[in-house]
Amino acid sequence: MKKILILFAALAAFTACEKKLPSTGTFGDQSITADAATPIAEFMATATEADKTGKVTGTVTKVCQSKGCWFNLDLGGEKFVRIITKDHSFSIPKDASGKTAIAQGVLKTKTTDVERLKHLAKDEGKSEEEIAKITEPKVEYEFEATGVIIK
């Protein structure tokens, strides 16, 4: 009986962690507003600092299907900027693709190693063949968000 109760408690805790987020709303820092958000392409065109702070907006093209801990904002021409949630402290809805997002945080330049690139590709749902083709690190921009609005 004791084992059954422990199993039930573990199952209840797991289920509670998997609650479905609303499709739109504010995630992370609840004080974020949509005011003065810069289109992501414009923000990137003026990014000359190593760590540029700001508020950006754009169309979501992909979302982490594992936990909703990152998403891509469209730059056009099949280019994007990955937005990650600061310290994985919050998630966004996994069905946010195609919606408008506003993210507040810091743009950083980083070298993403092969292991992380493969992890991200897996989160995107890429095939094992596509993942196996990742063999080189990549220098890229990543925007670390403290708060996000999905419209």
Side-chain angles (χ1 to χ4, degrees):
M1 183 67 156
K2 190 175 187 179
K3 288 180 183 179
I4 292 173
L5 287 174
I6 291 171
L7 180 61
F8 180 73
L11 181 61
F14 177 75
T15 304
C17 291
E18 291 295 318
K19 77 175 191 173
K20 183 165 172 41
L21 296 172
S23 292
T24 60
T26 303
F27 306 91
D29 181 358
Q30 297 294 304
S31 68
I32 184 175
T33 65
D35 300 341
T38 304
I40 187 67
E42 183 181 322
F43 187 84
M44 295 301 295
T46 61
T48 56
E49 305 165 22
D51 292 332
K52 183 177 180 181
T53 301
K55 191 184 311 180
V56 299
T57 185
T59 302
V60 177
T61 58
K62 290 187 181 178
V63 179
C64 170
Q65 293 300 298
S66 176
K67 296 180 181 177
C69 57
W70 61 261
F71 60 97
N72 294 343
L73 285 184
D74 186 21
L75 285 174
E78 296 187 29
K79 293 183 181 180
F80 63 88
V81 173
R82 182 174 301 110
I83 312 293
I84 60 167
T85 61
K86 184 171 176 62
D87 300 326
H88 284 59
S89 59
F90 65 96
S91 298
I92 68 153
K94 294 177 188 177
D95 64 352
S97 287
K99 295 180 180 162
T100 299
I102 298 157
Q104 181 172 287
V106 180
L107 180 70
K108 299 179 178 203
T109 305
K110 62 180 278 183
T111 301
T112 307
D113 63 36
V114 172
E115 182 179 335
R116 173 100 171 122
L117 289 170
K118 287 185 176 194
H119 173 83
L120 293 168
K122 184 176 180 182
D123 283 352
E124 284 183 41
K126 290 191 175 180
S127 71
E128 291 299 323
E129 286 178 354
E130 290 173 295
I131 293 170
K133 290 179 183 177
I134 300 170
T135 59
E136 298 288 327
K138 184 177 178 182
V139 177
E140 58 189 353
Y141 284 108
E142 195 169 77
F143 191 92
E144 184 178 64
T146 55
V148 174
I149 298 171
I150 301 292
K151 292 183 171 188

